[in-house]
Amino acid sequence: HRNRAASSVRLPRRSSAFTVRAEGGINPDVRKDEQKVVDSVVVSELAKPLTAYCRCWRSGTFPLCDGSHVKHNKATGDNVGPLLVKK
Amino acid sequence: HRNRAASSVRLPRRSSAFTVRAEGGINPDVRKDEQKVVDSVVVSELAKPLTAYCRCWRSGTFPLCDGSHVKHNKATGDNVGPLLVKK
Ligand code: FES
Ligand code: FES
């Protein structure tokens, strides 16, 4: 990971076994070394006719959706799902 | 809103002034009448060279990003941001 905040603030080293989750936060674990997680899709570079992008912040292949929203929804009663990008 | 669950389960009428949030859920208010909120972008129909899609579930223009992630991140210490789709 590249630490974007390194020049201004020294962030504590994170342990993968211990994640502090702020009250009301929605991203428990994705790239917490980045101040804001923004991803870009360049449409002309898409390989497949349909690509699913994660909006639940639980995917093991973030920013892609790997189906983890199903477990999250079941565990919490939530109703989130991916954004489908179609060529 | 179209109630997709109407044929099987009668959902309680929701008041906009009172939102029940499941423990650990990340979507407080977007289309809670839908069992799973999935959106599609058809790339050939994109109007602008860059479109930002919300992943914080707080946008007033969901599925588009309206900048609400800034307030969410500030309030909670979270670090979420949009998916940028570029033509
Ligand atoms: S895994 Fe996150 S939306 Fe599917
Ligand atoms: S308003 Fe939700 S990511 Fe920007």
Side-chain angles (χ1 to χ4, degrees), chain B residues 9-52:
Chain B
V9 178
R10 184 174 295 267
L11 296 174
R13 192 175 153 281
R14 288 176 58 256
S15 154
S16 61
F18 182 76
T19 301
V20 175
R21 183 171 175 188
E23 186 66 36
I26 70 171
N27 171 23
D29 211 35
V30 176
R31 291 152 45 193
K32 296 306 278 190
D33 57 332
E34 299 181 18
Q35 189 160 18
K36 180 159 62 181
V37 179
V38 178
D39 296 282
S40 292
V41 186
V42 180
V43 153
S44 60
E45 296 171 2
L46 286 172
K48 296 177 296 176
L50 189 152
T51 310

Side-chain angles (χ1 to χ4, degrees), chain A residues 33-62:
Chain A
D33 56 333
E34 299 182 17
Q35 188 160 21
K36 180 159 62 178
V37 178
V38 177
D39 297 282
S40 293
V41 186
V42 179
V43 154
S44 60
E45 296 172 2
L46 286 173
K48 296 178 296 177
L50 189 152
T51 309
Y53 287 90
C54 178
R55 301 190 293 188
C56 78
W57 299 91
R58 269 93 187 139
S59 175
T61 59
F62 198 91

